[in-house]
Amino acid sequence: MSKKKLYKKVITLLLPYKKYIVGMSMLMLAITVGNAFIPLLQQKIVDKGLMIKDVNTLMCLVGIVVAISLIANIATLIQAYLRIDLNAKFLKDKQIEILNHAMRLKIDYIKNDGLVQIIKDAEYSLNNVSQITGNQMSDTLTQIFKFVGVFIGLMVINWKLTFFLLVLIPIRLIITNKLSKYVEKYQMNTLISQKGIHGWEDDIYHSATEVKLWNLYDKKSNEYDALLKERNVAVKKMGFFSILSTLLGDGIQTIFFNLLYVLGGFLIWGDSLTLGGMLAFISYSNYLMEPIGFISDLKIVLSEVGPALNMYEKFLALSEEETDEQKGRRIGCNQSIKPILICKNLTFAFKDRTILNNVNMEMVPGDRIAIIGENGSGKSTIINLLLRFYEIQKGSILLNNKNIADYDLQSYRTMFSVIMQNPYLFRGTIKDNLTLFGKNTVGEELMESGLLDFVDELPEKLNTNIGNNASHLSGGEKQKVALIRAMAALSKILVLDEPTSAYDKRSEEAFLELLKKSGKEIIIMITHEPKLLKFANKIFEIEDGKLNQYKGYKDYVARSEHNVGGKTNEYCVQGN
């Protein structure tokens, strides 16, 4: 990225915080004015006070210098507070931006990299980008203002010495420009290495149980060690060139400062400079060079910010399920309507493998639909298409004669309550999960269905904290809480993915009774359980990408026996 383009992007990032920038600039201006007078006053202290032994003048001038210094320090303190507040607000705003964007990404990105890695990659980039509101950027701006003030004061004392020092500026900047290219290169290597570490961490977070079962501690530790070594190589090289830039600049600066004594001596001997002027110039020449060091360091910082900003922008460029612009063009979903879902010529392929091939189906109010098929046949794919997690490749899905893509996504999804095979429960209490933190109300019929009897045995009943991913509950108890949560939602369509896989016989019967009393307009079940198949009035079987439709369990059994020459398949056997 060119420096000009990077500067524009940095300015764009800071524009929402212009009040902070203006406030800090005004304070810096006050510091600049003070710094312009102090070298001149220091010269007067020596020449008009010390040299001629004028105590009154000496005390007056010292008092003025102290007052100006105190005012400058107060201004610096306020400016530092504004900088801290700006940095905290910038980080907060961007962290919220990361979360909101990551949660709305298309499911393909999340399945490919994992949400943990995506967020950690973005936050790592952000931490580098946030240097633009950190100490170094603020100090650099302060030093630039200080430079202006001190420059004016030193020019008044002696312009020849001042221009001699200014020769140092291009030399230092040339050194910094050369070395900043290496810093930028190794910063990019660091970001890429860190991205690999985040992917590894995302995997280990989800595989802790398997690591224990297969005793993979040493292997995983060695993998992590190798990844960290790779990152540290880039970090060390980046740090080396940053330090080298500073040391070379400081070395050249030291040479110039010592030469000041030689040049200053000739000026004093030629009566072009007083001793007070020489002492004041030597004392404050460092203030003239400090900003140059900061500006050089700033170029190093921007060399680190540039690659991180590129990576952050790539994250923000990832497609969301629905953008604000799309949302503004889409219609709301009328929650009072009776839903009719129609799939027309639905075709879906994954990595050149056809999952669904010209599938047609209709779901109307009153339908209790069971979807069956072998593993990988496309059962979950149909659900993901209905829920708009996947984009339709060919064909269409209509809700009440309108393409589902025409509906506002959030409004559309409120039509559905979904229970996955391994449902996720949020950190919090059972009550939090049943009501979705107060969003829904759970009626008495649901509470007394028998599925929540296990709650009575818990120490704090509904207020029991369930731990991370409901680690304090069994698999069956998790499914029961998820079911009641889905039933309590004001939705029209209930989607169940192997809903009773962790139930005992008694719980299964209670679940079926609750399902029969359900007020949902359409129930869609991925299931192999005979009792649920018998509950269905339609059975959709996915086989080799095609759809076979049956008018209930009896029709399914009769046609299955006929198709296999009198032999029942696995579902029919379970029902006997």
Side-chain angles (χ1 to χ4, degrees):
M1 183 190 301
S2 68
K3 296 299 180 185
K4 185 176 180 181
K5 190 175 181 181
L6 176 59
Y7 294 149
K8 285 183 179 179
K9 288 185 176 183
V10 169
I11 291 170
T12 301
L13 278 176
L14 293 176
L15 275 178
Y17 310 95
K18 54 182 176 291
K19 289 183 179 179
Y20 285 94
I21 306 299
V22 170
M24 292 164 64
S25 298
M26 295 299 292
L27 290 165
M28 291 175 190
L29 185 60
I31 296 170
T32 300
V33 173
N35 286 326
F37 282 101
I38 288 180
L40 298 174
L41 292 169
Q42 291 284 5
Q43 180 185 12
K44 298 291 184 184
I45 286 173
V46 175
D47 293 337
K48 303 294 184 182
L50 294 174
M51 298 299 292
I52 61 175
K53 300 179 182 180
D54 187 339
V55 176
N56 290 332
T57 300
L58 177 65
M59 295 301 293
C60 180
L61 290 172
V62 168
I64 294 172
V65 169
V66 170
I68 292 175
S69 298
L70 286 174
I71 293 170
N73 286 340
I74 292 170
T76 301
L77 179 63
I78 297 172
Q79 183 267 340
Y81 175 81
L82 288 175
R83 193 270 308 158
I84 292 169
D85 196 32
L86 167 61
N87 186 249
K89 182 171 175 55
F90 177 82
L91 277 172
K92 178 183 73 69
D93 291 346
K94 295 305 174 185
Q95 284 173 322
I96 292 173
E97 181 180 53
I98 287 172
L99 178 65
N100 286 336
H101 183 55
M103 294 296 288
R104 288 171 170 77
L105 289 176
K106 290 183 176 179
I107 202 74
D108 290 346
Y109 298 123
I110 297 173
K111 287 193 172 186
N112 186 55
D113 291 331
L115 193 59
V116 172
Q117 180 185 351
I118 290 172
I119 291 177
K120 290 190 74 171
D121 285 347
E123 287 184 339
Y124 186 79
S125 299
L126 173 62
N127 287 335
N128 284 278
V129 172
S130 68
Q131 291 182 84
I132 64 174
T133 58
N135 286 343
Q136 193 142 13
M137 183 69 76
S138 172
D139 290 345
T140 299
L141 292 174
T142 302
Q143 292 297 331
I144 290 172
F145 277 85
K146 184 185 288 188
F147 172 86
V148 175
V150 172
F151 176 76
I152 293 170
L154 294 182
M155 282 290 287
V156 173
I157 292 173
N158 190 278
W159 65 268
K160 293 179 181 178
L161 288 178
T162 304
F163 277 109
F164 173 75
L165 276 185
L166 291 182
V167 174
L168 177 60
I169 296 175
I171 297 175
R172 186 149 190 178
L173 291 179
I174 289 170
I175 293 172
T176 303
N177 271 333
K178 293 287 186 182
L179 295 178
S180 66
K181 294 177 181 178
Y182 291 99
V183 174
E184 186 171 359
K185 173 186 173 181
Y186 291 117
Q187 170 69 338
M188 179 57 75
N189 291 347
T190 301
L191 291 169
I192 293 170
S193 298
Q194 194 64 44
K195 186 178 177 67
I197 290 172
H198 290 157
W200 186 92
E201 288 173 341
D202 182 65
D203 180 66
I204 203 71
Y205 292 157
H206 294 92
S207 64
T209 302
E210 282 70 22
V211 170
K212 293 177 182 293
L213 288 173
W214 297 103
N215 193 22
L216 295 175
Y217 301 108
D218 290 342
K219 176 174 174 51
K220 291 300 176 183
S221 179
N222 291 335
E223 286 178 356
Y224 199 41
D225 181 64
L227 288 167
L228 292 176
K229 282 180 178 176
E230 182 183 352
R231 181 201 61 188
N232 287 349
V233 167
V235 170
K236 285 187 288 186
K237 288 183 178 180
M238 182 175 66
F240 171 78
F241 283 106
S242 295
I243 294 170
L244 181 61
S245 173
T246 301
L247 291 176
L248 287 176
D250 290 347
I252 294 172
Q253 184 171 308
T254 300
I255 295 172
F256 270 72
F257 276 8
N258 281 281
L259 288 175
L260 277 178
Y261 290 101
V262 177
L263 183 57
F266 281 109
L267 292 173
I268 291 174
W269 298 334
D271 294 327
S272 299
L273 183 67
T274 65
L275 179 61
M278 179 65 181
L279 292 174
F281 196 97
I282 294 293
S283 297
Y284 283 90
S285 60
N286 190 53
Y287 287 102
L288 188 66
M289 287 299 103
E290 266 187 13
I292 307 307
F294 272 93
I295 292 170
S296 298
D297 292 342
L298 177 61
K299 293 182 76 64
I300 297 293
V301 169
L302 290 175
S303 295
E304 297 176 16
V305 168
L309 186 55
N310 272 339
M311 195 162 284
Y312 186 72
E313 288 180 333
K314 286 179 181 177
F315 159 74
L316 292 178
L318 295 177
S319 301
E320 295 185 1
E321 288 185 307
E322 184 176 52
T323 64
D324 290 337
E325 182 182 351
Q326 290 170 332
K327 188 175 181 178
R329 297 197 307 265
R330 288 172 176 166
I331 58 177
C333 211
N334 188 345
Q335 301 299 317
S336 64
I337 63 171
K338 290 186 175 293
I340 299 175
L341 281 167
I342 298 174
C343 300
K344 289 185 175 181
N345 301 320
L346 209 55
T347 296
F348 188 87
F350 180 73
K351 291 184 177 179
D352 298 326
R353 179 193 167 201
T354 300
I355 307 296
L356 302 174
N357 188 9
N358 288 322
V359 167
N360 293 278
M361 60 175 67
E362 184 178 62
M363 292 166 270
V364 300
D367 275 348
R368 305 295 180 252
I369 295 165
I371 302 177
I372 62 175
E374 301 292 337
N375 290 338
S377 61
K379 304 185 297 295
S380 296
T381 300
I382 289 177
I383 300 302
N384 283 320
L385 288 168
L386 284 173
L387 296 174
R388 289 171 63 182
F389 287 138
Y390 294 167
E391 290 185 1
I392 295 170
Q393 296 172 350
K394 290 183 181 180
S396 61
I397 301 177
L398 306 179
L399 172 63
N400 291 12
N401 294 321
K402 287 187 175 63
N403 195 301
I404 60 173
D406 293 336
Y407 290 100
D408 168 67
L409 183 60
Q410 291 186 21
S411 175
Y412 173 78
R413 283 190 182 149
T414 58
M415 297 288 291
F416 295 84
S417 289
V418 184
I419 309 173
M420 296 300 186
Q421 187 172 358
N422 296 305
Y424 185 87
L425 300 185
F426 298 99
R427 284 180 183 264
T429 66
I430 292 176
K431 182 179 179 182
D432 290 335
N433 278 277
L434 289 173
T435 64
L436 284 176
F437 301 92
K439 182 179 179 181
N440 298 326
T441 301
V442 183
E444 288 186 16
E445 185 178 5
L446 292 175
M447 293 299 298
E448 296 173 0
S449 63
L451 290 174
L452 295 178
D453 288 349
F454 72 92
V455 174
D456 294 332
E457 300 174 9
L458 299 176
E460 297 181 60
K461 305 296 189 286
L462 290 173
N463 292 318
T464 299
N465 195 300
I466 63 175
N468 178 43
N469 195 18
S471 58
H472 300 165
L473 302 181
S474 70
E477 289 167 346
K478 284 171 62 176
Q479 282 190 327
K480 291 170 186 177
V481 173
L483 173 66
I484 299 300
R485 176 174 71 185
M487 291 289 197
L490 300 176
S491 58
K492 300 290 185 179
I493 304 167
L494 179 64
V495 178
L496 308 166
D497 186 354
E498 299 289 359
T500 61
S501 60
Y503 283 6
D504 55 32
K505 186 174 181 181
R506 180 170 171 270
S507 298
E508 198 175 272
E509 291 172 353
F511 164 77
L512 192 56
E513 284 301 313
L514 186 61
L515 213 56
K516 290 176 180 177
K517 298 176 184 177
S518 169
K520 306 299 182 185
E521 298 287 352
I522 299 172
I523 297 177
I524 304 170
M525 304 170 289
I526 294 177
T527 183
H528 294 156
E529 291 295 327
K531 288 183 180 179
L532 293 180
L533 292 176
K534 291 175 182 177
F535 172 68
N537 69 313
K538 290 179 182 177
I539 296 177
F540 295 149
E541 182 182 27
I542 310 297
E543 187 176 24
D544 296 328
K546 300 291 185 179
L547 179 72
N548 300 318
Q549 182 172 337
Y550 305 93
K551 297 177 181 178
Y553 186 69
K554 289 183 179 179
D555 180 36
Y556 170 70
V557 171
R559 288 168 60 184
S560 295
E561 289 178 343
H562 175 75
N563 290 338
V564 296
K567 295 180 181 180
T568 58
N569 66 17
E570 58 178 310
Y571 310 127
C572 302
V573 172
Q574 292 175 9
N576 290 338

